[in-house]
Amino acid sequence: MGKNPEGAKMNDTPSGTPVSAVKDQVRVRMAPSPTGYLHIGGARTALFNWLFAKHHNGKFILRIDDTDTARSTDESMHEIYDALRWLGINWDEQYVQSERRNIYNRYVTQLIHSDNAYFCYCTPEELEDIRAQARADKQPRSYDRRCRHLTSEDLDRFIVVEDRRPTIRIKMPDTPIPVEDLVLGSRNIDPETLEDEVIVRSNGMPNYNLTSIIDDAEMQITHVIRGTEHLNNTPKQIAIANALGLKVPQFAHIPLVLDSSGRKMSKRHHGDLVAVNRYREQGYLPEAVLNFVVRLGWSYDDKQEIFSVDELIEKFDLERVGKSGSVFDIKKLEWLNSHYINQLSISARTDAVIPFWQAEGLINSTERRDWLEDIVEAVGERLTTLQDILPQTRYFFTDEFEYEPKAVKKWWGGSEEKREKTSEMLTNLLQILEEVPSFDIETVETAIWKYTDENDIKRVAAMQALRIALTGTSFGPSLFDIVALLGRDEVLKRIPKAIEHL
RNA sequence: GCCGCUAUCGUCUAGGGGUUAGGACGGAUGGUUCUCAGCCAUCAAACCGGGGUUCGAAUCCCCGUAGCGGUACCA
């Protein structure tokens, strides 16, 4: 029993869905559990699946694996939808496992009837002891399958006397299970190492290994693309499918996304550092995140790093997915992000940046659009993230800023007499700017250069001193752009204020 | 403990029986410039170890080692 159940000959699932209806069409799925936000590894899994589907003109299915009722929440379900939508990963069909319990129940009944599953009355405490013992004995399995052979006295005691609520376990076969993997290759799994997995909890809720493979069959999934953390589940799921006579999808296990010390990125250890939403909030563009994440484990050739979504769809291929884990390198993400930001037209970039100004309370809807665009243009290629717009431009909207201490020390001077000199210079510059006939870039530039050159002052010194006076910082767009954008009144107001501060 | 997977610059990777082992990010240096960013130029930086097979191994095989993943009534 167990190794080749009669059911294995069936072509159709018990629910009667004809497999032939979508024969040959690629169908893949992403099956997140809604126990938190979508994390970066999940986004990559989703992307690989989605690209694979798009490449083959297939369907991408979103399946919420929420059989862990204790941990699943509606909120995180919606967060996952949100994150996927933001990334532009759309799905063709959607299922929620907790709504499909009848389906799983039918299969469980089938497994019991065909003697491929059995009730297990062990308590968690007993299981822990069994596990400890197995470990001490260096056993390959941690459950000894004792409930496979229960006497009627045992059952009497468990059910009648002690009123135990049983779990249901699958009977693993005693023949090797061949596992084929599109990324990792083929191998045979020794049945001695296979656990009689719990497939239904004592509260009646089915478990992942059962629901996953049932749904893959029910939904006619052709390829299961998922992280290698699921590699050890694969033979178990295949065994369940075989016992049920279900068609087994092809598997492709993709390597893990690792942190800088080589460990798997996880919510548990990395907090919101791995949350897709965090990157959204910080001003990363979805194209950048997609482009970054796809190159974690996948490559096209030795020439191309930048891929548009259309190109990815065209070029993505499981054969070019590597086998080893990839470290998440934020620097590379930043590089890609600035690339994609710079790619945006000034108008689009302004649109992208406006929410960040608004969130900071720097602008409201009455702000002049062309002025904002001029600011964005002046900032130029200085944005790594959209959020960088704040330190780069805050001073355009308010004169309530700190004079950056380090900059002050360097350019205004650390000593009394140096400050005096700076004060004098700013006073002169103020006078020049007051007298300048017009406030356009060229006029101002000519006037200031004339002043520095005639007085043998280094251009850098004058400009940086002035920059701090106007912006509080030592970095940023061309100062002449800033002067023009700030306007005469504001400039002539800020310089005296700075002199005062000196 | 047990089971499994993996191994090319710091990182992402290309390549693969004979190559100066290629690219990108990051780093360093120089140039441009009012600063920063950018841009341009240059540089440093790798085939885990040991055995085989072979005329020849980073590449194929074996063995180690290391790292990682799993080992739940999570997914």
Side-chain angles (χ1 to χ4, degrees):
Chain A
M1 98 205 79
K3 55 177 157 181
N4 191 15
E6 318 73 60
K9 295 194 193 84
M10 295 170 62
N11 279 326
D12 293 350
T13 65
S15 60
T17 313
V19 171
S20 56
V22 285
K23 213 42 185 173
D24 295 336
Q25 183 184 43
V26 163
R27 290 171 61 83
V28 295
R29 48 57 165 198
M30 151 88 174
S33 68
T35 54
Y37 42 72
L38 181 71
H39 66 102
I40 216 78
R44 190 186 58 149
T45 302
L47 178 63
F48 278 28
N49 274 285
W50 184 77
L51 289 175
F52 187 76
K54 291 286 169 199
H55 181 85
H56 292 284
N57 261 306
K59 298 286 189 214
F60 174 66
I61 291 147
L62 181 62
R63 185 176 79 213
I64 303 295
D65 280 15
D66 61 345
T67 55
D68 185 352
T69 47
R71 294 196 306 147
S72 298
T73 68
D74 254 31
E75 193 198 346
S76 77
M77 200 164 96
H78 288 287
E79 271 186 55
I80 290 168
Y81 295 157
D82 233 41
L84 288 174
R85 284 198 198 100
W86 176 66
L87 288 169
I89 297 177
N90 52 329
W91 50 99
D92 302 296
E93 296 168 28
Q94 178 176 327
Y95 303 91
V96 178
Q97 285 195 326
S98 59
E99 297 167 359
R100 299 167 58 80
R101 289 186 57 180
N102 293 340
I103 295 170
Y104 311 127
N105 286 343
R106 279 205 297 278
Y107 284 103
V108 171
T109 305
Q110 188 188 330
L111 284 171
I112 300 273
H113 285 338
S114 61
D115 196 28
N116 283 117
Y118 60 96
F119 291 93
C120 170
Y121 293 88
C122 296
T123 64
E125 295 73 33
E126 285 169 347
L127 288 173
E128 217 167 289
D129 291 343
I130 297 167
R131 247 192 312 269
Q133 192 57 49
R135 192 169 229 221
D137 294 345
K138 304 191 173 187
Q139 293 296 313
R141 288 194 305 259
S142 64
Y143 178 63
D144 59 11
R145 303 177 169 178
R146 62 178 59 172
C147 288
R148 261 156 101 142
H149 314 284
L150 255 25
T151 64
S152 47
E153 292 85 62
D154 292 332
L155 288 171
D156 254 18
R157 180 161 67 86
F158 294 149
I159 300 170
V160 181
V161 182
E162 300 182 4
D163 191 30
R164 294 191 187 184
R165 308 284 305 145
T167 61
I168 299 174
R169 289 182 184 269
I170 182 80
K171 269 189 190 173
M172 282 295 159
D174 51 16
T175 48
I177 299 188
V179 176
E180 283 170 35
D181 190 286
L182 264 18
V183 173
L184 297 172
S186 299
R187 70 220 151 87
N188 272 312
I189 300 303
D190 180 357
E192 289 304 306
T193 69
L194 258 25
E195 211 74 69
D196 274 1
E197 211 71 27
V198 171
I199 54 173
V200 180
R201 298 172 171 91
S202 55
N203 69 4
M205 194 51 102
N207 258 337
Y208 169 74
N209 279 307
L210 180 80
T211 59
S212 178
I213 197 67
I214 287 176
D215 277 343
D216 288 340
E218 281 271 328
M219 298 166 190
Q220 303 173 39
I221 300 301
T222 56
H223 304 261
V224 170
I225 303 169
R226 75 219 313 186
T228 48
E229 71 263 31
H230 288 295
L231 196 55
N232 294 319
N233 290 323
T234 308
K236 298 172 192 170
Q237 293 172 1
I238 291 174
I240 294 172
N242 287 343
L244 248 13
L246 295 175
K247 195 171 180 218
V248 178
Q250 292 205 265
F251 293 95
H253 287 93
I254 59 179
L256 299 175
V257 179
L258 312 172
D259 68 16
S260 56
S261 52
R263 291 173 176 283
K264 175 182 157 188
M265 286 276 233
S266 67
K267 298 171 195 173
R268 171 93 192 278
H269 295 291
H270 303 89
D272 76 341
L273 223 92
V274 300
V276 168
N277 263 339
R278 169 202 161 98
Y279 293 95
R280 177 188 193 171
E281 284 158 16
Q282 287 190 340
Y284 287 86
L285 300 179
E287 313 74 306
V289 173
L290 252 24
N291 198 148
F292 171 66
V293 119
V294 79
R295 290 284 290 102
L296 260 25
W298 176 85
S299 64
Y300 180 63
D301 58 17
D302 64 342
K303 298 188 173 55
Q304 195 170 356
E305 289 289 339
I306 306 285
F307 297 89
S308 70
V309 170
D310 285 343
E311 256 176 316
L312 287 176
I313 290 171
E314 182 203 323
K315 292 175 170 168
F316 184 78
D317 182 356
L318 247 20
E319 276 170 31
R320 296 199 63 87
V321 174
K323 295 178 179 182
S324 51
S326 329
V327 174
F328 181 98
D329 179 11
I330 188 74
K331 290 288 185 192
K332 184 142 178 199
L333 208 209
E334 286 176 353
W335 168 70
L336 281 164
N337 203 52
S338 62
H339 168 83
Y340 280 103
I341 289 177
N342 296 340
Q343 204 85 340
L344 258 28
S345 68
I346 295 302
S347 172
R349 214 183 296 170
T350 306
D351 289 337
V353 122
I354 281 175
F356 289 84
W357 278 329
Q358 280 173 336
E360 197 71 1
L362 295 175
I363 63 168
N364 52 50
S365 48
T366 63
E367 222 69 63
R368 279 161 40 227
R369 170 78 189 193
D370 54 346
W371 185 58
L372 294 179
E373 288 199 6
D374 288 345
I375 289 175
V376 168
E377 182 153 35
V379 169
E381 300 193 341
R382 271 168 269 253
L383 301 178
T384 296
T385 66
L386 297 174
Q387 204 178 45
D388 288 346
I389 198 68
L390 298 177
Q392 286 285 349
T393 63
R394 170 170 272 111
Y395 53 84
F396 280 116
F397 308 100
T398 173
D399 61 358
E400 284 170 29
F401 50 76
E402 300 283 311
Y403 298 108
E404 211 175 79
K406 265 184 83 175
V408 165
K409 191 169 181 212
K410 176 160 187 191
W411 297 108
W412 280 0
S415 63
E416 262 309 300
E417 64 168 309
K418 276 211 171 148
R419 297 233 180 180
E420 296 264 319
K421 279 201 149 173
T422 304
S423 177
E424 194 187 313
M425 180 170 71
L426 284 178
T427 307
N428 292 335
L429 285 169
L430 176 63
Q431 199 188 340
I432 289 165
L433 290 172
E434 275 170 340
E435 288 165 1
V436 121
S438 113
F439 232 64
D440 61 277
I441 293 176
E442 252 177 55
T443 315
V444 172
E445 183 172 353
T446 311
I448 290 182
W449 286 167
K450 180 164 182 275
Y451 166 72
T452 54
D453 294 351
E454 281 176 1
N455 294 278
D456 204 21
I457 293 171
K458 276 194 189 152
R459 290 182 170 191
V460 182
M463 295 298 273
Q464 284 300 78
L466 188 55
R467 177 183 293 278
I468 295 164
L470 298 180
T471 72
T473 69
S474 61
F475 60 87
S478 161
L479 193 53
F480 298 118
D481 284 348
I482 291 174
V483 167
L485 251 14
L486 235 28
R488 183 187 188 96
D489 292 350
E490 201 56 34
V491 169
L492 297 185
K493 213 167 78 194
R494 287 186 188 187
I495 296 174
K497 197 175 165 191
I499 294 170
E500 188 114 347
H501 188 274
L502 277 160

